[in-house]
């Protein structure tokens, strides 16, 4: 989106060429990037729209030495075959057995050898996880590149101009902090495949650059690759998503019970309306963080406050909700990065997310960053942002990001996955297909 746009009393600026002029008119930041950032380890997956308070319009939306002598070679495959990534509660990918393909060494530039993944029989969908063989530093992000099925390239070789997303790939993928999680195919429909090849890529979370001898990363140079083949759900199958709605904004926590219940009911209604066209029903759990922080701030290399918010939300939901996707009505969200300070309306740290991935979930800034109080007086409006962030968690990119679908490109301003999801909850048929691939969705 380019140019300036006013939404009520708040103003949003879009595009490099319009930012300075827009800033003069509206007070928007003059940072050389869109105010509403795309998802990335650097920026998070951020959504933005007009806040109810005009004062916040300008803030809308965020080296290991473990190499073996034969670096780049395959390590110890097999010991974790059938490894159980288990979690209590609603059945999900956390309860499924993940097959270990092995542990692979990364070279000085953080790349593995070309890894072959034979599936034995044709598959339509694949869940892939990357786990560092040791403790990673906060600057380490993991991705995949050179992903091919036969002669068809899904994800190309990493660009010399580092990016957190392969924007020209037929199946876009995102870098992930701490460990990687991918659902393939991620976008365009694909014919069943019996084998796949890929490389693991280690990158700097803040700059997306490759490590080197001069600029190493604090990360083990060995990564375990795990996978699971899953069947596609029939197009008319009704599915259920378990969501844990956690109230962690001070203004909502202190609100009288009856008012808070009415407010969160509107949030739930917006989420349910957004997922209904995909035949996805939401199973809700609700909890309150009794003493929430006034603000949650993080950087790509320092995520302790975001992790603490996630931990508090999980504790409030309890062990029985371990398989639920956390949807946190959060305090003020503030993200600092090399591109400047942002106060996004929402963020989804992983795209896609999963219950075994650290602090994965959907976070919505229910609290104003300027003076406190609710960022939206209407729970329905906050629910649109919540639905947008859940869309990212389930695997949806912005409609203007990467090579996606023809009808996504023409989805218009009314699509839920616009960078600025103002009011509409609409999804394209292809977006519905992507949503329904997520392993956390269970048949009713």
């Amino acid at each position: 989106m380019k140019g300036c746009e006013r939404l009520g009393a708040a103003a949003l600026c879009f595009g490099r060429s319009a930012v300075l002029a827009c800033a003069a008119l509206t007070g928007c930041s003059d940072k050389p990037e869109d105010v509403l950032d795309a998802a990335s380890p650097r920026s998070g997956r951020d959504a933005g729209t007009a806040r109810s308070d005009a004062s916040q319009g300008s803030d809308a939306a965020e080296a290991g030495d473990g190499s073996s002598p034969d670096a780049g070679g395959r390590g110890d495959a097999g010991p974790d075959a059938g490894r159980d990534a288990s979690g209590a509660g609603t059945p999900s990918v956390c309860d499924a057995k993940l097959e270990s393909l092995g542990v692979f060494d990364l070279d000085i530039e953080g790349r593995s050898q070309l890894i072959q993944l034979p599936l034995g029989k044709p598959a339509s969908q694949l869940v892939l996880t990357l786990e560092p063989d040791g403790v990673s530093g906060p600057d380490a992000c993991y991705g995949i590149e050179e992903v091919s099925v036969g002669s068809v390239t899904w994800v190309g070789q990493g660009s010399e101009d580092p990016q957190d997303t392969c924007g020209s790939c037929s199946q876009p993928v995102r870098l992930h902090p701490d460990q990687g999680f991918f659902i393939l195919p991620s976008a365009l429909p694909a014919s069943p495949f019996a084998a796949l090849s890929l490389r693991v890529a280690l990158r700097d979370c803040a700059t997306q650059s490759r490590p080197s001898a001069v600029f190493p990363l604090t990360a083990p140079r060995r990564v375990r690759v795990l996978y699971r083949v899953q069947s596609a759900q029939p197009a008319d199958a009704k599915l259920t998503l378990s969501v844990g709605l956690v109230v962690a904004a001070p203004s909502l926590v202190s609100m009288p019970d009856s008012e808070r219940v009415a407010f969160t009911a509107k949030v739930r209604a917006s989420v349910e309306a957004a997922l209904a066209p995909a035949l996805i029903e939401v199973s809700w759990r609700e909890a309150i963080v009794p003493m929430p922080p006034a603000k949650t701030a993080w950087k790509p290399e320092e995520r302790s406050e975001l992790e603490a918010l996630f931990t508090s939300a999980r504790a409030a939901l309890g062990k029985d909700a371990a398989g639920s996707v956390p949807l946190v009505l959060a305090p003020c969200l503030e993200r600092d990065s090399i591109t400047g300070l942002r106060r996004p309306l929402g963020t989804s740290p992983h795209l896609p997310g999963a219950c075994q991935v650290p602090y994965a979930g959907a976070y919505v800034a229910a609290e104003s960053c300027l003076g406190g109080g609710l960022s939206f007086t209407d729970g329905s409006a906050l629910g649109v942002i919540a639905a947008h962030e859940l869309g990212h968690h389930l695997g949806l990119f912005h409609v203007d990001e990467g090579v996606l679908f023809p009808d996504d490109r023409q989805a218009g301003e009314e699509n839920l996955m616009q960078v600025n999801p103002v009011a509409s909850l609409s999804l394209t048929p292809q977006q519905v297909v992507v949503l329904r691939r997520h392993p956390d969705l269970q048949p009713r």
Side-chain angles (χ1 to χ4, degrees):
M1 301 176 66
K2 303 294 181 183
C4 301
E5 179 177 338
R6 283 193 175 274
L7 300 171
L12 304 179
C13 302
F14 304 98
R16 295 174 184 268
S17 62
V19 166
L20 292 177
C22 191
L25 293 173
T26 68
C28 287
S29 169
D30 61 351
K31 301 298 181 183
E33 65 173 5
D34 287 357
V35 173
L36 307 184
D37 298 327
S40 71
R42 176 184 64 207
S43 66
R45 166 60 68 180
D46 301 334
T49 187
R51 293 183 185 259
S52 60
D53 52 334
S55 62
Q56 293 222 18
S58 62
D59 296 323
E62 117 238 278
D65 57 356
S67 300
S68 64
D70 57 340
R74 178 170 176 169
D76 52 320
D80 290 323
R83 175 180 174 277
D84 186 5
S86 61
T90 303
S92 68
V93 69
C94 294
D95 300 302
K97 290 185 180 297
L98 301 177
E99 299 293 328
S100 176
L101 189 61
V103 179
F104 298 86
D105 298 313
L106 306 181
D107 63 20
I108 193 66
E109 292 187 336
R111 302 174 75 221
S112 74
Q113 69 175 77
L114 192 63
I115 301 169
Q116 303 296 330
L117 175 54
L119 302 179
K121 60 181 181 180
S124 58
Q125 294 177 189
L126 181 72
V127 171
L128 186 75
T129 67
L130 309 177
E131 296 181 355
D133 192 31
V135 179
S136 291
D139 54 354
C141 278
Y142 296 88
I144 53 177
E145 58 185 38
E146 294 185 51
V147 181
S148 297
V149 174
S151 61
V152 179
T153 298
W154 282 2
V155 181
Q157 183 174 353
S159 170
E160 293 303 316
D161 178 21
Q163 301 292 327
D164 60 332
T165 302
C166 180
S168 61
C169 298
S170 64
Q171 307 296 346
V173 291
R174 180 72 62 184
L175 287 174
H176 291 255
D178 300 306
Q179 68 181 68
F181 177 76
F182 309 91
I183 303 170
L184 298 172
S186 62
L188 295 173
S191 301
F193 51 97
L196 179 143
S197 61
L198 61 94
R199 291 188 195 272
V200 175
L202 173 66
R203 296 285 188 96
D204 186 292
C205 287
T207 65
Q208 284 79 63
S209 60
R210 300 185 187 279
S212 66
V214 179
F215 300 105
L217 292 177
T218 308
R221 293 306 178 98
R222 289 162 64 82
V223 173
R224 187 178 303 279
V225 179
L226 302 109
Y227 71 97
R228 180 168 70 90
V229 174
Q230 64 181 33
S231 301
Q233 298 286 355
D236 59 350
K238 295 181 179 180
L239 306 175
T240 299
L241 177 67
S242 179
V243 176
L245 181 63
V246 181
V247 175
S251 295
L252 283 176
V253 171
S254 61
M255 186 180 287
D257 289 349
S258 59
E259 294 180 21
R260 183 175 58 250
V261 168
F263 187 91
T264 58
K266 290 184 176 180
V267 173
R268 294 197 313 269
S270 289
V271 172
E272 291 168 357
L275 296 180
L279 300 183
I280 298 172
E281 182 180 84
V282 182
S283 173
W284 294 98
R285 296 174 181 270
E286 292 193 36
I288 297 175
V289 174
M291 298 182 65
K295 180 176 69 175
T296 295
W298 72 98
K299 300 178 181 180
E301 68 279 11
E302 173 51 57
R303 300 182 290 272
S304 59
E305 290 189 18
L306 190 61
E307 293 170 0
L309 181 61
F310 172 82
T311 300
S312 297
R314 276 290 184 211
L317 286 169
K319 294 181 179 179
D320 289 343
S324 299
V325 178
L327 171 54
V328 184
L329 304 186
C332 162
L333 297 176
E334 192 171 85
R335 185 196 66 253
D336 197 3
S337 71
I338 60 175
T339 58
L341 184 68
R342 294 287 183 268
R343 290 168 175 163
L345 293 182
T347 190
S348 183
H350 293 266
L351 193 169
C355 49
Q356 82 270 35
V357 179
Y359 55 86
Y363 301 80
V364 181
E367 191 85 4
S368 169
C369 292
L370 301 177
L374 291 177
S375 58
F376 292 86
T377 57
D378 181 10
S380 299
L382 193 68
V384 175
I385 306 301
H388 178 101
E389 297 304 332
L390 282 172
H392 290 317
H393 180 87
L394 294 175
L396 292 181
F397 288 78
H398 287 146
V399 296
D400 59 354
E401 184 177 21
V403 176
L404 300 179
F405 309 109
D407 68 337
D408 284 350
R409 291 291 185 185
Q410 310 191 0
E413 300 296 318
E414 302 304 312
N415 191 270
L416 176 67
M417 302 314 296
Q418 288 289 343
V419 177
N420 180 42
V422 179
S424 177
L425 299 172
S426 66
L427 294 168
T428 68
Q430 287 87 348
Q431 287 173 321
V432 168
V433 170
V434 174
L435 278 178
R436 292 172 59 84
R437 291 175 182 154
H438 200 283
D440 280 351
L441 297 169
Q442 299 298 308
R444 289 189 213 167

